[in-house]
Amino acid sequence: MAKTAEVVKTKYLIDEKGRKTAVVINLKDYKNLLEFIEDLEDANDLLKAEKKAIRFTPYEKFRQGWLKS
């Protein structure tokens, strides 16, 4: 999981009027940001599934039943 406190070093591309038009980050920071976004998406999906769940089986109970099969 990506660290949330990590500082991403950015560089900016500017146009002829001096306005920032794009951001440049190094590949490692980019990959860390993608991983962090994926983790947030997974957490969001889990929250949605928990809200929609009609019933819930605790993991330990599920595991015991699965091991007996």
Side-chain angles (χ1 to χ4, degrees), residues 9-55:
K9 296 176 185 167
T10 56
K11 295 180 183 179
Y12 300 96
L13 297 181
I14 56 171
D15 64 11
E16 59 279 347
K17 294 183 180 179
R19 294 179 298 209
K20 294 176 183 174
T21 60
V23 177
V24 179
I25 61 174
N26 69 41
L27 188 57
K28 180 182 175 187
D29 288 338
Y30 175 74
K31 288 179 179 181
N32 286 339
L33 284 171
L34 286 181
E35 183 180 340
F36 182 71
I37 291 168
E38 290 172 3
D39 290 344
L40 288 175
E41 289 173 337
D42 291 345
N44 190 43
D45 289 344
L46 179 60
L47 287 173
K48 285 180 184 178
E50 287 175 346
K51 286 181 181 180
K52 290 181 181 180
I54 296 170
R55 50 175 236 233

